[in-house]
Each structure stands twice: as C-alpha cells, then as structure tokens.
Amino acid sequence: MSVWRSLRAAPSWIYPLALGIVVLLLPALGLSFAMTRQVQLACIMALVVSGLSLSLGYAGELALGQPAMYAAGAYTAGLMSIAGYTDIVVQLVVSGLVALAVGIVTGIPGLRLGSWSLAMTSFFLVLLVPDVIAVFGDTTGGRNGLSGIEPATLFGHVLDAANNEFYLVIVVVTIAWFAVMRNLVVSRHGIAFRTLKQSPVLASSVGVSVFRMKLLGYAIGAFPAGLAGALFANIDMFVSPEAFGFTFATAVLAACILGGAASVYGALIGAAIMQFGPNQASDFQQYALVFYGGFLIVGGVLLSGGLGKLAKAGLSKLDRAAGLSGARAAEREANAILPQMDPMEGQPLAIEGISKAFGGNQALSDVRLCAQPGQVTALIGPNGSGKTTTLNMICGFYKPDSGRILVGDTAVQGLAPDQVARVGVARTFQTPNIPEHVTVLEAVASGRYSTDRVSMFAAVLRLPRFRKVRSADLTEAKRALEMVGMAHLADETASTLPLGMRRLLEVARSMVAKPRVLLLDEVASGLDENEVERLADVIRGLRDAGATVVLVEHNFQLVLELADRIVVLAQGTVIADGSPTEIEHDPRVLSEYLGVTVEESCSRTIADEESALAEEVKS
Ligand code: ADP
Ligand code: MG
C-alpha cells in the first residue's frame, strides 16, 4: 500500500505523459509496420472522440457532427497539399480553424433550437458529407477520392514515412491535444462546462453565458476533429468520402460512450478499443456497423460513465484502502472558530414596484423592498407568496412586467441571468443545485467564475494570469469552506453530500465572489441544530463584513434573531415592512403568516386589536 501511496503522490499528469512517451518510442522498439499504422489511426480517432467528449460529456450537448468536421479538416489539408502548401504545421492550423468554422456555423442553429435539434442537425450534417463532397467533385475528386497529395513537410524537411517520422508527428499532436483538453477540463472553464451540463440555471447564476459556453464547447470540440482530418489526409496521401460516413460516426459515438464521455482520457481508451478490437477481425468491414452498434449499446447500458468512470472508481477504492482519503475526512474539528472575514463592498438593493403575472396567476404585485449594505433583510411569507419569484426576478430568470430593480445605481431588470451575476448578485437555491462529478472545493470555487476573468486560452496554456487567479480561487474557496465548517470535506464529491451540507456548500459558493448583493433562499431548512447555529454565525459575519444580505427563511425565530429589517409577503404583495420588533407585533403578520388570529393572541390589549383592525380596513 505504501507503494500505491507514493505512486499517487506524483502529479496525476505524469502517467498519461509517460504512456505517451512510450507510444512515441514504439517504432524505435521494433513495432511492426501494420501495428504502427493501427496506432496512428487510433490516435486520429482519439482526437475526433475527444472533441465529442467535450461537447457531449462536458457541455452536455449531443452533437454528432464530428465526422463532418473531420472531413472538412482532411479535405482542407489535402487541397492545401495539392496547392503546394505541404508544411504540416500550417495544414494543422488551417484545418483546425476550418473545422472550427464548420462547427460554429452548423452548431448555432442547433444550439438555438435546443438539444434534440442539435443532435438532428448535426447528424444530418454527417449524412450530407459524401454528397457535399460529390457536388464539389471538380476540386474534391468526388466519389473517386482526392489524390495527388504530396508527402507532408516540417519546416522544409520532407517527413519520411518509412522512417516513421510522420508517426512521431501524429503522436506528438495527440499528446499535445490531450494536454490542452486536460488543462481545460480542470480549469474553472471545465468546471463551468460541467455545471452547465448539470444545470443551465446554476451556470448562469454564477455568470456563465449559457449559449456562448455551449457554442464554445461545440466549437472547441470541432478543432481536434480538424487536426485529425489533416493528419489522416497525410497518412495515405489519399482522401475518399467513404471514410467520413455513417459507420465512422457510429464508431466515434461508440468509442466516446464506451470510454466515458465525461473523462479526458476515456476518449483514448475508447478509440484504442475500437481500433484494436473489432478492426482486427477479418471480414470486419462488412459487419462494422453491427459491431459498433453493439459496443454503443454495451457502453450505454452496462457502463454508465464508461470505462473512464470505472477506472476512477477503482482508483478511489485503492486510495481508500491506502488510507489516503480516510485520513482527510478524519481531521474534522468539532468547534472550529470562524475565520476572519474580509470586508465586503455591499451595494443597496432596491426593488421598486415590480409586478409579475404567470398567465392568469398574479404572482407579484407592486412589490417594494430595500436592502442596505451591512444589514440582513429578511423576506418572509407563507408558501407560494412569491419569495422565490422575487429572488428569481432580481437574478434575471424572470422579467418583471413592470417596475425597476437597482443594484447600487445599476438597473438590472431585463438583464440576462449571467449579466446580473456579473453585476455582483450571488444566490443560493431553495433546492440546492450542485453539479455532478466535481469536488466540494471545485463546486465552491465555481462561484468565482465571473470575478477575475481568465480566458480559456490562458487556462489551456497555463499562463501566469491563470495561475494567479486559480490560486486565488482555491484560497477563497477554502476559506469559505472553513467558515461554513466544511473544510474537512473539500475533496469529497459534492453531489454525494447530505442536504444540510449541500445548503452550506451553496452558501459558501455564493460568498466566494464577494458579491454586492447576496440572496439566500431558505438556507436553514434541512439543517441540524449545529448547522443552523453555524449558518447564523456566517450570516452575521457577512453582515458585519458589509454585505447586503437578503434572507428568505421559514424559521421565524432565526429571522427575528438575524434580521435588521423584515419584509412580509402574502399572495404577492408586501403586507408589512419594518424592524423585527414591529413585525413581531404586527397583527396582520400574526394572522396571515403565523396563522394566529387576533382573538387567539391573548397577550394583546383591546387597543392593540382596534388599531390592528383599523389598519386592516385601511389596506
Ligand atoms: P414562495 O417562494 O414564496 O414559496 P414562489 O415564489 O415559489 O413562492 O411562488 C409564488 C407563486 O408564483 C406561486 O403561486 C407559484 O405557483 C407561482 N409561480 C412561480 N414561478 C412560476 C412559473 N415559472 N410559472 C407559473 N407560476 C409560477
Ligand atoms: Mg420559495
């Protein structure tokens, strides 16, 4: 077990890199020509599959158009070669960009329409490829294929196939792409992709533009397909339309599902199995589709998450056996002290007479509310009175029919949710919204998506800017976890936490970005006594740090304890607004909200009752 422990102590990218270097050296170690060819084809397929993983496994879009982008890359490289541009680097760049353009152009309509439309349009695209190639028969060679491709060159040096020089190019490109993929996936953008797949609502609430992100996932997924195409064109120096048909599309999908769509190296595993498994059988071509279809079903039905997930599960089992994760879980401190909170620059939130009807149901009418920095403003009311709807309105999930919402001086009504998030509004959800396949720490850090922006480019190349922001992300997330008393759970899988912990996780996620306005929707429900106490401390800490806190809460006692000001909603209208003492004694609140009728409340004087009735008549 100690061997295992020291193996796991090395950075995780060492092993794939070592494997890549071994593959790079295979021909020098005497691998046969037939096998080197198989390795090259497996690499090429892995590139295409990896693009599909990115859009399907991470962005959650069933985009099947990879073979079309692969074809675009292959023909681009082939035609460039015929035109005299044989340099492989130039071909790779141009083919990748052409594939990217094809991906974006074909992706936009499908993404606009929704997931199944994307599957249909992209699938249709694949069926069209041979015909499109035939239509441009004069340049592409039509159904006869494109011949006359010259051997590729690298900086003027002709790459010798007999010397396996082109093999080296293919393996190096594959290693480089998977390094890019890995860097992307572990960065905040990768977490954003996974969040998006799980819940577009959650993603937009932390400032991710859903459409833009999906399009990016689809476009970036097209790029490796273009690279693969360029490499493929140079292997046989011949490209024919058959290579890009339905059979190939099925093989790619099967490899993706089998390897595990939501796993970086799953694409490699899946592609290797597809290339070295069925392809070795004689008469394979005839039954290829049956084989691939079979793999697809086996992968989809028996292996949810694919072999990649299976491998991960195996790893964490070994970790537990070696006491690696157990040790961490044990270091829980029972009464950890609340760490010092940095000052927060809260902004006043003003809701000025918003109304909203859903069909005939007037959910909100003329709601007014003002929340000040350094105060907790509680929003209470019976079920269905419009509290969550009010929060959704602030966040931009619904557009008010009338009225204004101001954060500081910025009017946010009418903005999209991700734009509101970027103005500085953070929230938790009544039903906790936790992405799958991410650790607690990553889930909390994802709350900082819209602060300290970092481009994907910087993330992939690990530029200094990325490193700086990443370390800030992790520091802030760790601190937030300490505050809610969950530091010991940082490396656990977020989606497996019990309800109380999920709520606290959301609170931590909502505060890492130092929001201008913080909206907490029923955060205390489902928490045990200790957790409620912890939560109350955290909310007080946030208030004292200067945050603007809007607290929707059922626990009246907790509200009285925490709130500086209470706004009471009933049936979509504000029926009371004042200090806790005022609200506690407001007869309308007592009857509407607490279900106590005026007669029942015997501690009240007749004068009290009279004034209450008078007020009821007035309103
Ligand atoms: P609360 O959070 O105070 O319990 P909500 O804000 O969830 O209440 O709901 C207020 C009212 O608005 C309810 O009558 C609910 O049915 C209605 N409502 C909320 N969202 C929608 C929606 N998307 N479509 C139709 N009706 C809605
Ligand atoms: Mg609600």
Side-chain angles (χ1 to χ4, degrees), residues 132-152:
V132 173
I133 293 168
V135 169
F136 297 103
D138 290 344
T139 31
T140 63
R143 300 204 185 278
N144 297 327
L146 182 68
S147 47
I149 298 174
E150 296 292 318

Side-chain angles (χ1 to χ4, degrees), residues 356-359 361-364 380-392 398 430 521-522 552 554 569 572:
K356 178 74 184 176
F358 295 104
N361 175 6
Q362 189 69 37
L364 297 180
I380 64 172
N383 266 333
S385 56
K387 305 179 297 290
T388 300
T389 307
T390 306
L391 297 195
N392 283 339
Y398 303 139
Q430 188 168 352
D521 198 352
E522 310 224 353
V552 170
H554 257 301
L569 273 182

Side-chain angles (χ1 to χ4, degrees), residues 327-401:
R328 269 184 243 124
E331 54 188 55
R332 169 167 206 177
E333 303 152 59
N335 288 316
I337 330 141
L338 214 59
Q340 189 62 41
M341 237 178 258
D342 280 346
M344 292 198 161
E345 285 168 28
Q347 295 269 332
L349 166 75
I351 298 181
E352 299 178 350
I354 54 167
S355 300
K356 178 74 184 176
F358 295 104
N361 175 6
Q362 189 69 37
L364 297 180
S365 30
D366 197 32
V367 169
R368 287 166 195 281
L369 180 159
C370 205
Q372 295 299 334
Q375 288 194 355
V376 174
T377 307
L379 184 60
I380 64 172
N383 266 333
S385 56
K387 305 179 297 290
T388 300
T389 307
T390 306
L391 297 195
N392 283 339
M393 221 63 119
I394 301 169
C395 292
F397 290 115
Y398 303 139
K399 277 200 177 83
D401 297 335

